[in-house]
Amino acid sequence: MPPSLIFQPGMLSWVSRRSIRLLLGTMLGVVALVTIQMMTQMIVPFRSLHNGQERQLAIDGTKYTYGVNMKGGKTHSHVDNATLEDLRARHERGQSVCKALRLKEINVTHTGHVQGVFVNQGHKLAYCFVPKTGCTFWKQVFSFLNNVTHLKTPVSSPFDIPRLLVHRLPNAYGVDWNGVKKSVLRDHLRFMFARDPYSRLWSAYLDKFYLPDFWTLFSGRILSRRSPKPGKDVLTCGMNVSFAEFVDFALDFNEPHWTPVASSCDPCKFLPEVIGKMETYTRDAKVVLGRAGLGWILEGVDHHKHVQNELEMLIQYNFEVIHTKSPVLADKCISDEALGARLWTTFQDNGYIPGDLAYSPSSPFTQGAFKDRVLEAFNKSEAYGKGRLKDQKRTAMENAFKQLPRETLQRIAERYVVDFKMFDYKPRYFV
């Protein structure tokens, strides 16, 4: 028998000590790997460009390099220090709120999910879709990148795709998160956009209830709250839902156009690297597109023409609603001229046309003549001044919320508490 296999005194204790050391080393290694994996899931690298140079940015004590896009190449967009710090602060705030929710430090039951994601593999982009946060532009971008336009002729820019069309294309609400989650979390630039809950509620009311889009869908239920027997005509038309009635309904009923952003696209699950906001929309969109090597998309964009296209699309769509989508509305509820008056008011409340320009329909009324009148008024808005139009828009929204009872405003603060905390908005009482 070889000497190495002969039992020697003390061998058992030596083997035991060696086995224990190996076992402890293995256990510590496993713990370290698990810890690193958990931290990797919790901490998302925030990369962006700073004066064309790679720099280090610390998040939760971990350093990350930015200035390199997901494919390893340099981006070509200039991003100033203030923008970088703003986006970094949003990222850290999101992580902090997610941790507080996980530890139940925020007294709220948060049941967020990821309702739909737009993905482009070529540029490694993933956008978490939330209505009423500027999603039409991103639908145009992803339709362009994925070459899904259903147009007979090729397009050279996302802006060549009609705004109305992208809401009617296949996967207009994105793809299922569970089907793309693994690849998106591994190597895609993930981004989302948020909006002040008050602004989003007001926008949803104007677009969906003051204008006719949701009249046949939800107005009957809302008006039934006003009276147990509202009458057949009221239920058929549903055209006189007040803002207060809409808000009361929205606080009790989930629908993507007003459900809290953090519930529709939960940052704790989607783990966005960039959180954009409506208040800094163009700036934040440029950062995302620059990161993906697509900065050219927003170069030389004519904002005036962009808003003009928005107005034309809204006019076309709302007349389609009453004549094609729900023809009973044109037959029994509202005339073309009356719809024109509502569109005019909506454009004023949104700050597109001056508030002191009176609505004067053509006789006879035609959709084409109305569109021309709106665009004429919009062109005059430049002389009116952007500051005044912005104040006009803010005043219209504030006056609407001032009519709500304090109890309703308190319910808004409670319903959107995660949005307020996650995206750094403040509850208000409009006194």
Side-chain angles (χ1 to χ4, degrees):
M1 180 178 294
S4 59
L5 296 182
I6 299 174
F7 179 80
Q8 301 289 336
M11 179 178 288
L12 182 60
S13 60
W14 177 82
V15 170
S16 299
R17 289 196 299 271
R18 185 171 183 274
S19 299
I20 291 172
R21 285 197 300 269
L22 288 171
L23 178 61
L24 287 174
T26 301
M27 292 175 64
L28 288 173
V30 171
V31 171
L33 286 172
V34 171
T35 302
I36 290 172
Q37 185 177 12
M38 292 176 63
M39 290 179 68
T40 301
Q41 293 174 348
M42 293 169 57
I43 302 173
V44 183
F46 185 98
R47 306 183 188 91
S48 194
L49 191 71
H50 177 81
N51 298 330
Q53 303 294 323
E54 293 183 16
R55 294 190 55 180
Q56 294 288 324
L57 181 65
I59 299 176
D60 288 352
T62 302
K63 291 183 178 180
Y64 299 103
T65 299
Y66 57 91
V68 179
N69 65 21
M70 299 301 290
K71 301 173 81 171
K74 296 291 180 64
T75 57
H76 300 284
S77 300
H78 174 82
V79 182
D80 59 80
N81 283 333
T83 297
L84 285 176
E85 289 306 309
D86 192 18
L87 294 176
R88 178 196 60 78
R90 292 178 189 176
H91 185 276
E92 291 185 348
R93 185 181 187 89
Q95 289 186 319
S96 176
V97 172
C98 286
K99 180 179 178 181
L101 288 168
R102 189 169 60 252
L103 298 177
K104 301 188 183 302
E105 295 174 352
I106 299 176
N107 186 25
V108 63
T109 300
H110 179 59
T111 55
H113 63 286
V114 180
Q115 68 174 10
V117 180
F118 287 83
V119 177
N120 176 255
Q121 295 293 343
H123 291 273
K124 297 297 183 183
L125 280 176
Y127 163 59
C128 196
F129 159 72
V130 180
K132 307 307 295 179
T133 61
C135 64
T136 300
F137 168 69
W138 291 111
K139 287 186 178 186
Q140 288 176 299
V141 169
F142 280 88
S143 294
F144 172 75
L145 295 178
N146 293 327
N147 195 27
V148 180
T149 66
H150 287 201
L151 295 173
K152 295 181 180 179
T153 57
V155 296
S156 58
S157 164
F159 295 106
D160 294 336
I161 306 171
R163 293 170 61 82
L164 197 54
L165 174 63
V166 295
H167 294 287
R168 298 170 175 172
L169 291 172
N171 294 328
Y173 296 94
V175 297
D176 180 63
W177 170 238
N178 291 324
V180 297
K181 177 180 177 180
K182 186 175 180 179
S183 64
V184 165
L185 288 178
R186 182 175 62 245
D187 60 4
H188 283 54
L189 168 59
R190 300 173 300 281
F191 68 98
M192 64 180 293
F193 277 75
R195 186 174 186 175
D196 183 333
Y198 301 106
S199 173
R200 192 158 169 260
L201 278 170
W202 176 236
S203 178
Y205 171 71
L206 289 177
D207 286 356
K208 305 300 178 183
F209 290 94
Y210 186 70
L211 296 177
D213 197 16
F214 278 6
W215 285 1
T216 58
L217 190 61
F218 291 119
S219 290
R221 269 187 271 184
I222 296 175
L223 294 172
S224 294
R225 294 180 167 200
R226 182 191 299 176
S227 170
K229 298 180 179 180
K232 186 176 180 180
D233 291 343
V234 173
L235 293 177
T236 299
C237 296
M239 58 186 291
N240 292 314
V241 172
S242 70
F243 180 59
E245 289 173 321
F246 159 70
V247 172
D248 281 339
F249 176 73
L251 291 172
D252 294 332
F253 183 85
N254 283 327
E255 203 283 335
H257 289 84
W258 57 77
T259 295
V261 171
S263 295
S264 296
C265 178
D266 188 351
C268 306
K269 293 183 173 70
F270 183 64
L271 304 179
E273 294 184 62
V274 177
I275 298 176
K277 287 188 177 183
M278 290 294 287
E279 295 82 1
T280 51
Y281 190 90
T282 301
R283 184 204 73 176
D284 300 341
K286 286 181 177 179
V287 171
V288 171
L289 293 172
R291 272 280 311 279
L294 296 166
W296 61 267
I297 288 177
L298 286 176
E299 289 178 358
V301 170
D302 187 337
H303 177 71
H304 186 86
K305 184 178 180 181
H306 176 73
V307 176
Q308 181 176 306
N309 290 339
E310 171 82 3
L311 296 173
E312 291 175 347
M313 183 270 287
L314 288 170
I315 292 169
Q316 177 187 344
Y317 178 71
N318 280 281
F319 278 99
E320 284 184 6
V321 168
I322 69 168
H323 286 287
T324 305
K325 183 180 176 182
S326 303
V328 66
L329 296 177
D331 292 340
K332 297 184 178 181
C333 304
I334 189 169
S335 67
D336 285 3
E337 185 175 326
L339 176 56
R342 288 192 176 224
L343 280 163
W344 187 271
T345 300
T346 300
F347 296 155
Q348 289 178 320
D349 288 344
N350 280 326
Y352 291 139
I353 60 179
D356 56 6
L357 288 181
Y359 172 60
S360 54
S362 61
S363 182
F365 181 93
T366 66
Q367 183 178 331
F370 173 72
K371 183 183 73 173
D372 292 342
R373 179 73 180 95
V374 168
L375 296 182
E376 178 187 357
F378 171 61
N379 289 329
K380 290 181 179 179
S381 67
E382 289 187 348
Y384 198 75
K386 291 183 179 180
R388 291 179 65 187
L389 289 171
K390 188 175 181 180
D391 289 342
Q392 173 183 302
K393 179 180 180 179
R394 185 185 66 252
T395 299
M397 185 190 80
E398 289 178 348
N399 286 341
F401 278 97
K402 284 179 180 178
Q403 304 305 313
L404 301 181
R406 187 175 180 84
E407 177 187 353
T408 300
L409 294 172
Q410 179 60 38
R411 289 184 65 204
I412 293 174
E414 294 170 356
R415 178 78 172 91
Y416 293 87
V417 61
V418 178
D419 275 14
F420 286 124
K421 292 182 179 295
M422 183 77 71
F423 307 117
D424 197 20
Y425 293 112
K426 301 292 187 277
R428 288 186 280 169
Y429 292 93
F430 299 92
V431 293

